[in-house]
Amino acid sequence: MTKNSNRLYQRAQRHIPAGVNSPVRAFGGVGGHPRFIVRGQGARMQDADGQWLIDYVGSWGPLIVGHAHPEVVLAVQKAAADGLSFGAPTAAEIEVAELLCRLVPSMDMVRLVSSGTEATMSAIRLARGFTGRDLLIKFEGCYHGHSDSLLVKAGSGALTFGNPSSGGVPADLAQHTLVLDYNNTPQLAEAFAQHGDKIAAIIVEPVAGNMNLIAPDPVFLKAMRDLTTQHGALLIFDEVMTGFRVGLGSAQGLYGITPDLSTFGKVIGGGLPLAAFGGRRDIMQKIAPLGSVYQAGTLSGNPVAVAAGLATLKLAQAPDFYERLSNLTKTLCDGLVGAAENHGIAFAAQNIGGMFGLYFAEQCPSTYKEVMACDSAFFKRFFHAMLQSGHYFAPSAFEAGFVSAAHSTTDIAATIAAADAFFENEGTKKPR
Ligand SMILES: *Cc1c(COP(=O)(O)O)cnc(C)c1O
């Protein structure tokens, strides 16, 4: 039953482009109409027609302790009762800053903002201001929010400058971004050999989570650190997704690579708009009003968002929190792979901490090209079958999935059983 969702979707489209406030919500990647959600509780959310769905999207990452965790809700209620916004500093902001600097290896100083897009945009401006250089390196398939410098795709051939990947982005601006292949270390070395003295920074998802999930080759991460250091460029880890998702030290803690700057969002706001960028003290001191790089925000460090973030990060610091989350996520991946194997379906899955990738392919991909070669028609059938049976995966084959601490082994087992039924049905289909 999707009568109410469908009716809301029709109504939404009259005054909201495609009926959604962020594109992937529109189900363009899988076909059909989006479910409208009325409430969330723990691992589940309920749609407008009353169906409860086990949620593997978690608001695209923030909900690491699940929906409406009582301690997070209480913290938000308390903060709200004391005033929604002041535009003046509060003690709770210091607490977040101290916590981030204690838990994140590279962080000496941090500034709070309201979205991941703002965090990456500001970190890039800071890197350019600090180095006095313009050129930025990013990798195809990595997403860093929707600011102009970042909506760029590879030019024709490797090592040519980028082209806008969105209308409204000046070609002149795209010329300052070099788009390379993720996990291609020789290509990266070649880019530095050619342009090293012009490169302000590399920005990278240390685990790629916006082209499905791609695990980094540790050699690739290490090369980035070495090359940027040798050439006087900065290394920016965009940990908006991986931050407090793959471990308490985030991806930089997990892989033992210390970037110069990093960006956070998603989990650090626990479901409210809070994000951050920070890193080396000498770099962060270039930010206004200490330095010449301008950055500001009316609602930056908002007390209600800060309260939600602090309550979430407090729960995430419980002993064994990430070990349990990672094991749970691995149980899901292994179970799905086992079910597919039983029915002769080409399928692979992997997790890093509480994030996972599912692939309709023989093996987990390690490049953008390999991800693109996965069977997306198969994914669409999987997505709709799972949704119908009450399991909400991201409505796109090119997104990572998320498990929360509120998911139980029973939830995971139910999802594996539903997938098994789907795979069985697919496996018995006659080849066309
Ligand atoms: C989600 C995401 C962003 C953008 O964050 P918003 O809060 O949506 O602006 C940036 N970088 C990465 C790696 C992300 O996953």
Side-chain angles (χ1 to χ4, degrees), residues 115-117 120 143-145 205 210 238 240-241 266:
S115 73
T117 293
T120 55
Y143 176 70
H144 306 290
E205 290 182 67
N210 284 285
D238 180 356
V240 171
M241 184 182 289
K266 299 196 169 112

Side-chain angles (χ1 to χ4, degrees), residues 348-418:
Q350 65 182 335
N351 77 294
I352 299 181
M355 60 193 280
F356 63 84
L358 309 179
Y359 322 93
F360 286 92
E362 295 288 350
Q363 301 173 30
C364 297
S366 60
T367 65
Y368 178 74
K369 257 204 192 93
E370 285 170 12
V371 168
M372 291 297 140
C374 292
D375 188 341
S376 56
F378 209 136
F379 173 80
K380 286 179 200 178
R381 296 198 296 279
F382 170 80
F383 170 82
H384 285 292
M386 294 305 286
L387 182 59
Q388 207 154 24
S389 62
H391 309 268
Y392 193 79
F393 286 91
S396 162
F398 305 110
E399 301 287 349
F402 304 102
V403 170
S404 82
H407 287 72
S408 66
T409 49
T410 317
D411 295 330
I412 302 289
T415 301
I416 294 167

Side-chain angles (χ1 to χ4, degrees), residues 73-119:
V73 172
L74 188 66
V76 166
Q77 286 170 335
K78 272 191 176 156
D82 281 334
L84 298 180
S85 181
F86 309 115
T90 60
E93 290 162 76
I94 314 174
E95 236 183 285
V96 180
E98 287 172 348
L99 185 62
L100 292 178
C101 291
R102 181 160 63 77
L103 296 176
V104 178
S106 68
M107 201 83 101
D108 299 329
M109 294 188 104
V110 60
R111 187 161 269 183
L112 301 181
V113 293
S114 302
S115 73
T117 293
E118 254 186 285

Side-chain angles (χ1 to χ4, degrees), residues 226-278:
D226 293 345
L227 287 164
T228 46
T229 303
Q230 279 163 29
H231 292 268
L234 300 185
L235 178 59
I236 306 171
F237 270 11
D238 180 356
E239 300 233 40
V240 171
M241 184 182 289
T242 54
F244 303 98
R245 169 55 66 182
V246 300
L248 200 54
S250 302
Q252 53 197 276
L254 192 63
Y255 293 97
I257 301 280
T258 306
D260 300 297
L261 291 174
S262 34
T263 56
F264 289 82
K266 299 196 169 112
V267 171
I268 72 160
L272 285 186
L274 182 69
F277 67 99

